[in-house]
Amino acid sequence: MVSTLHAPPDVAAPLAPGQLLARGVCRLLASHDFASLTEVAPAPGLRVDVMALGPKGEIWVIECKSSRADFTSDRKWTGYLEWCDRFFWAVDADFPSELLPLETGMILADPYSAEIQRMPTESRLAPARRRVLTQLFARQAARRLLLLRDPQFSVFSS
Amino acid sequence: MVSTLHAPPDVAAPLAPGQLLARGVCRLLASHDFASLTEVAPAPGLRVDVMALGPKGEIWVIECKSSRADFTSDRKWTGYLEWCDRFFWAVDADFPSELLPLETGMILADPYSAEIQRMPTESRLAPARRRVLTQLFARQAARRLLLLRDPQFSVFSS
């Protein structure tokens, strides 16, 4: 998903095609006991569509591509590989899946559900990076939750 | 706060006195760059009012007490100490603060803001426990966020 969203997700805003896929993906991940967070920046200049944290601390990254153009215009994706144990694309049934590199994972998604079509090989994060990413994920999720639960308070939105 | 809440927080529900203090506490923590989460169970049978995660991975626990009775009926609080680097009570201006053990932290709170009155000594968590707690915090925060953003999906509420 090509995204310029820097503000926390707005629950009332209509979802873009990539965000609709992300919703299906998050539901899939939940059913696998992975907690997921959308639009996460693991490093400056890098923003992933979905980051998910598994029951054993596994970190997966999922990029949602709503069209061929959306995929081919993404020049940053190889940079995501070093920020997760497994990397997946999420695409819909109309996407030309032969475009996706075979070593990456593939999730077939729609706005309501998704399923894993190809599980990628695991490339384990170093412990120090896993610790930093888990902490970043935790703080980001809690901040967004606070913004939704206490919208009058805006220290994080400045 | 005496709480029997086991469901994820409902943004629309009116807040109990302890939860109002917790709101002020979370605002204070945010201003110190701590991301906080309410009603967290670090272990079975143990539920803390607020758990906060600092910029360096520090974990603080804050129990909110809206009255003397609320404090004196809490027989579990010493059990919270081993789940954080620092432990605080949050009370309002009418609370008889001399009841609070001197070695614990104290936050003076109202529903809108709070300030740290006494910083407790740090008692550092072991790395393995910090890792588990950070992961638990991350997954819990992300699950609650997903429930708010995608209320039609209820895998977590079962």
Side-chain angles (χ1 to χ4, degrees):
Chain A
M1 159 166 51
V2 177
S3 171
T4 53
L5 283 176
H6 288 278
D10 176 353
V11 279
L15 297 177
Q19 291 173 314
L20 284 168
L21 292 184
R23 189 177 72 186
V25 167
C26 290
R27 291 179 176 191
L28 164 75
L29 291 163
S31 72
H32 284 268
D33 196 19
F34 274 67
S36 53
L37 191 61
T38 58
E39 306 273 346
V40 183
L46 215 58
R47 177 165 291 250
V48 303
D49 290 336
V50 181
M51 183 174 281
L53 185 58
K56 295 177 179 169
E58 311 94 312
I59 294 177
W60 291 0
V61 161
I62 302 94
E63 280 297 294
C64 302
K65 295 299 177 191
S66 58
S67 67
R68 174 192 284 260
D70 192 6
F71 173 74
T72 54
S73 66
D74 186 340
R75 310 215 187 293
K76 288 187 175 177
W77 76 267
T78 53
Y80 305 148
L81 299 175
E82 60 184 292
W83 300 96
C84 55
D85 297 308
R86 297 187 201 264
F87 175 83
F88 300 79
W89 301 103
V91 295
D92 66 18
D94 295 331
F95 188 92
S97 60
E98 66 278 7
L99 291 180
L100 305 176
L102 279 174
E103 68 275 21
T104 56
M106 183 182 149
I107 292 172
L108 193 61
D110 66 28
Y112 307 99
S113 64
E115 61 178 58
I116 297 174
Q117 296 280 305
R118 185 171 65 226
M119 180 65 84
T121 317
E122 188 178 47
S123 173
R124 300 272 300 170
L125 289 163
R129 179 162 287 188
R130 185 184 311 282
R131 190 168 60 242
V132 168
L133 278 175
T134 305
Q135 195 179 304
L136 178 143
F137 180 110
R139 285 166 49 82
Q140 184 72 269
R143 280 195 289 246
R144 290 185 191 168
L145 190 62
L146 182 65
L147 270 175
L148 289 177
R149 298 197 66 211
D150 186 6
Q152 283 83 34
F153 184 59
S154 59
V155 71
F156 290 127
S157 54
S158 60
Chain B
M1 154 167 54
V2 178
S3 172
T4 53
L5 284 177
H6 288 278
D10 176 352
V11 279
L15 297 176
Q19 290 174 314
L20 284 168
L21 292 185
R23 187 177 73 185
V25 167
C26 290
R27 292 180 176 190
L28 164 75
L29 291 164
S31 72
H32 284 267
D33 196 18
F34 274 66
S36 51
L37 191 61
T38 58
E39 306 274 345
V40 182
L46 214 59
R47 178 165 291 251
V48 303
D49 290 336
V50 181
M51 183 174 280
L53 185 58
K56 294 176 180 169
E58 311 94 313
I59 294 177
W60 292 0
V61 161
I62 302 95
E63 281 297 294
C64 302
K65 295 299 178 191
S66 58
S67 67
R68 173 191 287 260
D70 191 7
F71 173 75
T72 54
S73 65
D74 185 342
R75 311 217 187 289
K76 288 187 173 178
W77 76 268
T78 53
Y80 305 149
L81 299 176
E82 59 183 293
W83 300 97
C84 56
D85 297 308
R86 298 186 201 264
F87 176 81
F88 300 80
W89 301 102
V91 295
D92 67 17
D94 294 331
F95 188 91
S97 60
E98 65 279 6
L99 292 180
L100 305 176
L102 279 176
E103 67 277 19
T104 56
M106 181 183 151
I107 292 173
L108 192 62
D110 66 30
Y112 307 100
S113 64
E115 61 178 59
I116 296 173
Q117 295 279 305
R118 185 171 66 228
M119 179 66 83
T121 317
E122 188 178 44
S123 173
R124 300 272 298 169
L125 289 164
R129 178 161 286 189
R130 185 184 311 282
R131 191 167 59 242
V132 168
L133 278 175
T134 305
Q135 197 179 302
L136 177 145
F137 180 110
R139 284 166 50 84
Q140 183 73 270
R143 279 196 289 248
R144 291 185 189 168
L145 191 62
L146 183 65
L147 270 175
L148 289 177
R149 298 198 65 213
D150 186 6
Q152 283 84 35
F153 185 59
S154 59
V155 72
F156 291 128
S157 54
S158 60

